[in-house]
Amino acid sequence: MKCALVGPPNVGKSTIFYRLVGRRVKIANYPGKTLSKAFGYFIEENTRIEISDLPGIFNIENPKDEDEKLAISDVINGDYDCVIVVGAPHAIKESLSILRYLAKIKRTIFVLNMVDLASPVIDENALSTKLGVPVIFTSAAKGTGIYKLRKIIKLNAAKIGEVPEIDIEFKGSLWMEKLFTKSSIAIPTLIGILLGTLMIILFFIDGNTPFGNSPVALIPIIESFLDYIGNFLTIPNNPILTLFIVNGIWSGVSTVMTFIPYIAAVAFFMSLYEQTGLIGAFSIGIEKITTKLGIPPRSIIIFFMGASCNVPSLSAARALWGMKSRYLTALLVPYVPCAPRMTLFLIIASAVLPPILVPLAVLLPYLASIIAIFFSFFIYRLIMGKPMAVERLPPTPIMLPNWRIIIIETWNYIKEFLKKLSLMIFATTILLWLPSVLGPHGITFNIENSWLAIAGKEIEFIFAPLGLPWQVSVMLMGGWIFKEVVLGLMALFGGFTLIKSLSIASALALMVFIAFYSSCIATLLSLAKIIGWHRALLSLIVQLVTAYIFSYITYSLISILG
């Protein structure tokens, strides 16, 4: 038996989905599309029932975006035995509109969620009689009504027919979310929450914060453990095999492993804010600003999360409504400097500037990135066109989180990363490592004789106007593997000595270039999964050109001022 879950965004549809299927979840793209849907199953009295959680529908009679059209086509043309339309008190008109449309052509069940926040004055049976289809009142956050819903689905009680237009009155108040519809409250509150979230991720996950290194961060512990394991992988009297195992295979494994905490942290907070209704509540208050940019309000949250690591932010971008909005957000995420890049900013600034000026210098790449985001935004808008404006829904109620569902959703993010990206990251890391150990005369233990170094010398003329030597070119190419690789290559070429040899103008230009010349290969792979390879490669070219333009402007201005 197969059923589809449909409804407007922000009505708790996905929470009901996880309540029904638990951990038995898979995520797959629509054939030939980058839009995905989740599906899973549960067993009820020896009957396997498959549930598909379809993308949100704003206006079923007049869909505006390809995502919405795909969801409508899926629910109408798919081989579903029943359709479960999910509604909520704050979006009852939109939910009933979907129900009236689908009940004419599909056997339907109507689920009214969030009744713990505002309950109807009419009971389930009376409302079911009026609508002509089974009605279940639920509180997905608390699990109320889920058992009854499972039984109704199993009994195949869904009905088809004409649903009349009715008004449903509610008891209770949803005043809390209305408070955040005011921009004067929503904007500073959202910025405060996001900055706090970012600091938590930097302090407990990455370890590098604007205020110094964290003593309790997870990434340094994992890296130390991985390095410790790597010490036991040495093959006696076989330096070539050791080089391949330690610097090739184990380096690829380590790269994948160090991404997992970032994926988990960002997925956890995105799920937390989704479950509590904070994302939907703040959306109304900031949409006046974001609609001018052609991006949905939750893109702002994704950009903030990208300051820890771009990869999980891109994973979160996959859930955005609207193809063009999703593409535009994904294209702009790599311009947000991630935490590893902040480490490089601190090292470079500390090498060439007095301590009192280091914090100010570190801000420079971030300011340049903000300008570059707007610059690139207009380029991408010219290429792609303006994203379709979304229908306006009432603000989402503020709710208590369901920790079980948050943990399940976080695990699903990690599982999808390991399934779809980890092998590609591992393989690409090894492929990009090979030029650093191979040269014209075969395997080399001196990187200056490698193909990577030769390539760096060939493109030295490009960076010469910025006062950067060929060794820096090699470091930047190595950064495509993982930004921490830049540190390793820097050490091979003299570390601080190399950076100190740069002028202040060259060092600051290098920081700006690192800020957004291109994220690591994992980010590029994640981006390609969302927008396709041809757009990802176009983005790569735009990033390189933008990085060079802004670094050259920085070099010229500092040289003039100096």
Side-chain angles (χ1 to χ4, degrees):
M1 186 175 183
K2 294 177 64 176
C3 297
L5 270 176
V6 299
N10 303 330
V11 294
K13 177 170 60 68
S14 294
T15 306
I16 289 176
F17 170 75
Y18 280 102
R19 280 288 189 185
L20 288 171
V21 304
R23 294 181 291 105
R24 308 180 192 93
V25 177
K26 292 184 179 180
I27 299 173
N29 285 2
Y30 282 95
K33 305 292 182 181
T34 58
L35 179 66
S36 61
K37 69 173 179 178
F39 58 93
Y41 70 92
F42 65 91
I43 306 294
E44 186 68 27
E45 297 178 4
N46 297 321
T47 299
R48 178 188 168 109
I49 301 171
E50 185 175 305
I51 304 290
S52 294
D53 183 16
L54 307 191
I57 298 173
F58 284 89
N59 188 336
I60 195 165
E61 295 182 358
N62 184 28
K64 295 182 178 181
D65 187 86
E66 183 180 346
D67 290 4
E68 203 170 14
K69 293 174 182 177
L70 276 173
I72 295 170
S73 175
D74 186 358
V75 69
I76 292 175
N77 300 317
D79 58 341
Y80 297 111
D81 299 294
C82 76
V83 175
I84 304 163
V85 178
V86 181
H90 66 284
I92 192 63
K93 291 181 180 179
E94 295 80 5
S95 307
L96 289 175
S97 175
I98 295 171
L99 177 66
R100 282 193 298 272
Y101 187 91
L102 292 177
K104 298 175 185 177
I105 49 180
K106 287 283 186 178
R107 301 175 67 252
T108 60
I109 298 170
F110 183 58
V111 173
L112 185 54
N113 193 30
M114 303 183 186
V115 294
D116 55 324
L117 302 178
S119 59
V121 296
I122 188 173
D123 63 30
E124 281 179 336
N125 293 332
L127 183 57
S128 178
T129 300
K130 280 192 172 186
L131 294 177
V133 299
V135 174
I136 308 294
F137 291 170
T138 64
S139 169
K142 296 180 179 179
T144 307
I146 301 299
Y147 177 77
K148 186 174 183 180
L149 176 60
R150 291 167 65 113
K151 291 293 183 183
I152 291 291
I153 296 171
K154 163 63 176 64
L155 292 172
N156 205 13
K159 293 182 179 179
I160 188 170
E162 291 281 343
V163 173
E165 291 193 28
I166 65 170
D167 291 324
I168 302 176
E169 297 181 2
F170 293 89
K171 298 178 291 183
S173 173
L174 300 175
W175 65 269
M176 180 67 78
E177 72 279 1
K178 296 178 182 178
L179 185 66
F180 296 113
T181 61
K182 300 178 180 178
S183 297
S184 58
I185 295 176
I187 293 173
T189 305
L190 179 62
I191 290 175
I193 290 174
L194 293 179
L195 284 175
T197 302
L198 179 58
M199 288 300 104
I200 290 173
I201 293 175
L202 293 178
F203 189 83
F204 289 103
I205 302 296
D206 186 80
N208 295 301
T209 76
F211 314 105
N213 294 332
S214 166
V216 295
L218 190 58
I219 290 295
I221 296 173
I222 292 175
E223 289 177 339
S224 297
F225 175 75
L226 293 172
D227 290 342
Y228 177 76
I229 297 296
N231 293 332
F232 291 94
L233 301 178
T234 302
I235 308 298
N237 304 318
N238 198 330
I240 294 177
L241 185 58
T242 298
L243 188 69
F244 176 68
I245 293 175
V246 176
N247 293 358
I249 294 177
W250 188 244
S251 177
V253 172
S254 299
T255 299
V256 172
M257 293 293 291
T258 51
F259 272 116
I260 293 176
Y262 292 112
I263 297 287
V266 172
F268 173 84
F269 282 110
M270 290 297 294
S271 178
L272 174 65
Y273 297 151
E274 195 78 55
Q275 286 285 320
T276 55
L278 283 174
I279 291 180
F282 283 120
S283 294
I284 304 298
I286 65 172
E287 72 176 356
K288 290 180 181 178
I289 298 174
T290 58
T291 49
K292 292 179 181 178
L293 298 176
I295 56 175
R298 65 186 62 200
S299 294
I300 303 298
I301 299 172
I302 289 171
F303 292 151
F304 265 88
M305 296 296 188
S308 62
C309 181
N310 291 168
V311 175
S313 292
L314 286 169
S315 297
R318 294 181 64 184
L320 287 175
W321 185 91
M323 182 184 71
K324 288 185 179 179
S325 294
R326 185 169 61 253
Y327 283 9
L328 188 57
T329 300
L331 285 165
L332 295 177
V333 164
Y335 289 91
V336 180
C338 58
R341 280 185 268 187
M342 184 175 70
T343 304
L344 294 173
F345 300 156
L346 288 169
I347 290 173
I348 295 169
S350 299
V352 299
L353 293 172
I356 194 171
L357 294 179
V358 170
L360 293 176
V362 170
L363 288 176
L364 177 64
Y366 288 94
L367 294 175
S369 290
I370 292 172
I371 297 171
I373 285 174
F374 283 99
F375 177 77
S376 302
F377 164 78
F378 289 110
I379 294 176
Y380 294 135
R381 276 277 296 271
L382 286 173
I383 298 172
M384 296 171 49
K386 185 177 180 180
M388 187 68 67
V390 300
E391 300 283 347
R392 186 169 185 174
L393 282 177
T396 309
I398 305 297
M399 301 167 285
L400 291 174
N402 183 289
W403 297 109
R404 176 177 175 270
I405 292 177
I406 289 173
I407 291 171
I408 291 175
E409 289 186 332
T410 301
W411 166 245
N412 283 332
Y413 263 101
I414 296 172
K415 186 170 65 174
E416 285 299 302
F417 167 76
L418 292 173
K419 179 181 176 182
K420 295 184 176 180
L421 283 174
S422 60
L423 185 59
M424 293 177 67
I425 293 171
F426 171 75
T428 310
T429 300
I430 293 177
L431 287 174
L432 291 175
W433 163 78
L434 287 174
S436 69
V437 296
L438 295 176
H441 304 293
I443 296 174
T444 177
F445 294 93
N446 185 349
I447 193 170
E448 294 194 15
N449 298 324
S450 67
W451 287 118
L452 186 64
I454 292 172
K457 293 173 184 177
E458 289 295 322
I459 65 171
E460 184 178 14
F461 73 95
I462 298 175
F463 294 96
L466 305 179
L468 299 175
W470 67 267
Q471 291 92 336
V472 172
S473 305
V474 174
M475 288 160 45
L476 293 173
M477 287 190 290
W480 263 319
I481 301 175
F482 199 35
K483 285 296 176 280
E484 279 84 343
V485 173
V486 176
L487 296 176
L489 293 173
M490 189 186 298
L492 291 174
F493 290 125
F496 252 44
T497 304
L498 172 64
I499 301 301
K500 284 182 177 180
S501 68
L502 302 177
S503 66
I504 293 177
S506 295
L508 294 179
L510 175 60
M511 289 168 62
V512 170
F513 194 88
I514 289 174
F516 46 84
Y517 78 97
S518 174
S519 297
C520 61
I521 190 62
T523 300
L524 184 62
L525 293 171
S526 300
L527 184 63
K529 283 283 185 180
I530 298 174
I531 65 175
W533 271 108
H534 62 293
R535 293 188 184 91
L537 293 175
L538 173 63
S539 169
L540 184 62
I541 293 170
V542 173
Q543 281 183 266
L544 287 170
V545 172
T546 306
Y548 193 84
I549 290 172
F550 278 87
S551 57
Y552 185 78
I553 291 172
T554 301
Y555 178 80
S556 300
L557 288 176
I558 300 299
S559 297
I560 293 170
L561 294 174

